[in-house]
C-alpha cells in the first residue's frame, strides 16, 4: 500500500509529536519532583539508620568498658585477686578511697596490682558518685559495701552504707579518635557514604568544641555516648524458701543523692554530625535532579530533532521518488517522439512514398534531427549517471575556458542559425588556464547553452561573457537570454535533479530535468558553483564560477 503525504500533513505530524514530547517532558518534570522528595527522604532514613547503628556500636564498646569496671575490677578488688588486663578503651584505671579526710588514690599497674599515686590534677574525688567527665574523658563508678539485712517487727530492712570507694577510668581519647570512631563509621555507613559525606563529633549542644573531624554545617545530627551507671547496688531478690513478710527497701543514699549529691550522668553526651560534601544534602539532590532533567531534555530534544529529520527525509524521499517518476515519464515521452518519427520517416522511404530529390533530402534532414535529439537525450542521461558515480572527476588537465565556449557554440551553430538567434560574445584572450576536467566543463557550458536555446526561443538573443574575478580568484562565465524568465518559486529548486519548472511543464517544452543538475554537479566537482538571476518577462542570467 503506497501512502502519500503532503508537506502540510508532515508539518502537522511534527507539531503533534512536538506536543506529545512536551507533555511527556511535563510529566517527567512532575515525576522527578516526587522522585527527588522520595530519594531525599530515603537518604535521610539511610543516614538515620547508619547513625543509629554507629551509636549502638559505640555505646556497646563503652558499656563493655564500664561493665569491666563494675564487675571484673570490683570483684578483683573485693577478693584481693589480680586485676585482669584493661580493655583497649581504658587508658588508666584508678581506685579512690574518700573514707578519710585526705583522699587516697591507687592506680592499676600492668601486673594487675594497685599502687598509690598522687592525685592527678584533673581528678576531684570529693564524693564517689556515678559520673562521666569530658575534660578529660573519664568514667567514675562507686563501689558499694555489701547490703546488711535486718529484721524489725516482722519486716526485712536492707541497710546501705555510703560508698567510700570508687573506680575512675580514664578513657583513651587517642584510640577513640584514631581507631574506634573511623572503624565504626566505616562499618556503619559503608565506603560510598564515607566518600560522599564528612563526619564530625562534638559535645552535645556545644558545636564549637571539636572532638573528631572537621568543622562542618551538619545535614544530620545523632546524639550518642550514653552508658548506664548505677548509684545504688543491686537489690537482692526474695529467698526461694518459705514466704516472708513483704520487704521494704530504705534507699537512704539514693534520697541523699537526688537531694544534694551530684546529678546522674547525662544521656548522650556527644553528637555525631554528618554533612554532604560540596553542597548541603538537599542542594546536592536538587543539583542532581537538574542534571537529570537536563539529560532528559537533551534526549527529548534529540528525539524531536530525529523525528523532524525523519519526517523531512521522508518528504524528500517522497519528492525525489515523484521527480524520478516524472523523469521516467518525461524521458519515455521524449524517447518515444524521436523513435516514432524516425520509424515513420524511414518506413515511408522504404515503402517508396518519398519521391524526388527534395523530398528525400527533407526526410533525411528530419531523420538526422530526430536521431540527434535521441542521441542528446541518451548522452545527457549517461552524463548524469557518470557524474554522480564520480566517473567524471578523475582527469585534471590545464583547460582554456575560451576554447570550451567556442567548441560549445560551434556544436550548436546549426540550431542557433535555424532559430535565428543573435549571439553576442565577450571572451577575453588573456583568461588564465584552470586545472579541470575538459569533458565536465564542456557538459556544463553545453547544457547552459541548450537551456537558453530551448527556453528563450522567443527572445532570440544570447549573450556569453567570461571574466576573471580577482576577488573570487575564479573565472566567471555568464550566459544571458531574453526569455520569459524564471519564477522565484522555481529558482529555489532549479538545480535539483529531475526538477522542471511550472512554465516548462505547462508549455510542454521537451526536457528531462537533469540538464541544470549536471551543470551544478560539474561546477561542484571543480569546487565551483552555479547561480541564476532572473526577472520574469525579461530574461535570465546563469553564472558558472570555476576557481582558477
Amino acid at each position: 500500500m503506497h501512502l502519500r503525504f503532503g508537506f502540510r500533513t508532515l508539518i502537522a505530524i511534527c507539531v503533534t509529536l512536538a506536543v506529545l514530547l512536551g507533555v511527556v517532558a511535563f510529566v517527567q518534570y512532575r515525576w522527578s519532583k516526587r522522585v527527588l522528595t522520595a530519594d531525599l527522604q530515603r537518604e535521610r532514613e539511610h543516614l538515620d539508620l547508619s547513625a543509629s547503628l554507629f551509636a549502638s556500636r559505640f555505646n556497646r564498646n563503652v558499656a563493655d568498658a564500664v561493665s569491666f569496671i563494675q564487675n571484673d575490677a570490683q570483684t578483683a578488688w573485693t577478693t584481693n585477686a589480680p586485676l585482669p588486663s584493661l580493655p583497649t578503651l581504658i587508658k588508666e584505671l584508678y581506685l579512690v578511697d574518700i573514707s578519710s579526710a585526705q583522699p587516697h588514690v591507687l592506680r592499676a599497674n600492668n601486673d594487675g596490682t594497685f599502687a598509690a599515686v598522687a592525685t592527678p590534677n584533673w581528678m576531684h574525688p570529693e564524693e564517689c558518685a556515678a559520673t562521666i567527665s569530658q575534660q578529660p574523658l573519664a568514667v567514675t563508678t562507686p563501689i558499694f559495701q555489701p547490703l546488711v539485712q535486718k529484721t524489725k517487727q516482722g519486716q526485712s530492712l536492707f541497710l546501705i552504707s555510703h560508698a567510700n570507694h570508687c573506680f575512675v577510668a580514664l578513657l583513651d581519647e587517642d584510640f577513640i579518635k584514631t581507631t574506634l570512631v573511623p572503624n565504626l563509621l566505616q562499618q556503619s555507613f559503608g565506603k560510598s557514604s564515607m566518600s560522599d559525606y564528612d563526619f564530625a563529633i562534638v559535645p552535645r549542644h556545644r558545636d564549637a568544641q571539636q572532638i573528631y573531624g572537621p568543622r562542618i554545617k551538619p545535614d544530620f545530627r545523632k546524639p550518642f555516648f550514653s552508658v548506664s551507671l548505677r548509684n545504688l547496688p543491686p537489690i537482692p531478690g526474695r529467698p526461694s524458701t518459705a514466704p516472708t513478710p513483704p520487704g521494704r527497701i530504705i534507699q537512704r543514699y539514693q534520697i541523699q543523692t537526688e537531694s544534694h549529691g551530684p546529678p546522674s550522668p547525662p544521656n548522650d553526651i556527644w553528637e555525631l554530625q554528618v554533612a554532604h560534601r560540596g553542597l548541603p544534602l538537599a542542594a546536592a539532590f536538587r543539583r542532581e535532579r537538574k542534571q537529570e532533567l537536563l539529560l532528559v531534555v537533551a534526549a527529548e530534544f534529540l528525539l524531536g530533532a530525529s523525528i523532524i529529520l525523519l519526517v523531512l527525509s521522508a518528504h524528500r524521499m517522497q519528492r525525489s521518488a515523484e521527480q524520478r517518476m516524472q523523469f521516467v515519464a518525461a524521458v519515455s515521452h521524449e524517447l518515444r517522439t524521436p523513435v516514432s518519427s524516425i520509424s515513420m520517416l524511414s518506413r515511408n522511404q522504404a515503402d517508396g512514398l518519398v519521391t524526388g530529390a527534395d523530398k528525400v533530402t527533407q526526410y533525411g534532414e528530419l531523420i538526422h534531427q530526430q536521431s540527434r535529439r535521441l542521441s542528446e537525450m541518451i548522452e545527457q542521461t549517461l552524463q548524469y549517471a557518470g557524474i554522480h558515480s564520480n566517473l567524471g572527476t578523475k582527469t585534471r588537465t590545464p583547460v582554456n575556458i575560451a576554447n570550451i565556449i567556442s567548441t560549445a557554440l560551434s556544436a550548436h551553430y546549426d540550431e542557433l542559425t535555424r532559430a535565428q538567434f543573435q549571439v553576442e560574445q565577450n571572451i577575453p584572450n588573456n583568461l588564465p588556464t584552470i586545472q579541470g576536467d575538459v569533458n565536465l566543463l564542456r557538459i556544463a557550458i553545453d547544457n547552459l547553452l541548450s537551456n537558453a536555446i530551448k527556453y528563450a526561443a522567443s527572445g532570440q538573443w544570447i549573450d556569453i561573457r567570461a571574466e576573471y574575478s580577482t576577488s573570487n580568484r575564479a573565472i566567471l562565465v555568464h550566459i544571458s537570454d531574453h526569455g520569459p524568465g524564471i519564477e522565484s518559486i522555481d529558482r529555489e529548486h532549479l538545480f535539483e535533479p529531475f526538477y522542471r519548472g511550472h512554465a516548462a511543464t505547462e508549455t510542454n517544452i521537451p526536457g528531462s530535468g537533469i540538464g541544470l543538475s549536471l551543470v551544478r554537479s560539474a561546477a561542484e566537482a571543480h569546487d565551483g558553483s552555479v547561480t541564476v538571476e532572473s526577472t520574469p518577462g525579461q530574461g535570465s542570467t546563469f553564472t558558472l564560477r570555476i576557481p582558477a
Side-chain angles (χ1 to χ4, degrees), residues 228-269:
S228 177
L229 299 176
R230 59 174 181 255
N231 272 319
L232 294 175
I235 301 172
R238 292 179 179 274
S240 58
T241 56
T244 58
R248 182 175 61 183
I249 302 176
I250 301 176
Q251 299 181 348
R252 298 176 181 173
Y253 177 70
Q254 177 70 16
I255 295 173
Q256 179 183 4
T257 302
E258 291 182 353
S259 301
H260 307 286
S264 299
N267 293 326
D268 300 324
I269 62 173

Side-chain angles (χ1 to χ4, degrees), residues 401 404-406 408-409 412 416 421-427 441-456 461-467 475-483 485-486 494-495 516 519 529-535 538-545:
I401 199 70
I404 294 179
I405 295 174
S406 177
L409 286 171
H412 290 277
L416 289 168
F421 267 90
Q422 178 186 353
V423 179
E424 297 182 4
Q425 301 181 53
N426 184 8
I427 313 297
L441 294 174
R442 180 186 62 78
I443 289 172
I445 295 177
D446 185 76
N447 275 280
L448 288 176
L449 275 174
S450 297
N451 199 66
I453 295 170
K454 185 185 300 182
Y455 294 99
W461 179 84
I462 293 177
D463 177 58
I464 302 178
R465 293 178 293 110
E467 61 175 330
I475 292 178
L476 304 180
V477 179
H478 309 281
I479 299 180
S480 304
D481 61 63
H482 286 170
I486 305 170
L494 198 61
F495 297 99
L516 292 178
V519 176
S529 62
V530 59
T531 58
V532 60
E533 295 180 0
S534 181
T535 302
Q538 298 182 13
S540 305
T541 298
F542 287 84
T543 300
L544 179 67
R545 184 184 66 85

Side-chain angles (χ1 to χ4, degrees), residues 325-340 370 373-374 377 500 508-511:
M325 292 298 296
Q326 293 174 0
F327 167 74
V328 172
V331 169
S332 299
H333 175 73
E334 295 297 322
L335 289 175
R336 187 188 304 117
T337 300
V339 168
S340 299
Q370 297 299 327
R373 180 180 175 185
L374 180 63
M377 293 183 61
R500 302 201 70 205
N508 293 322
I509 298 177

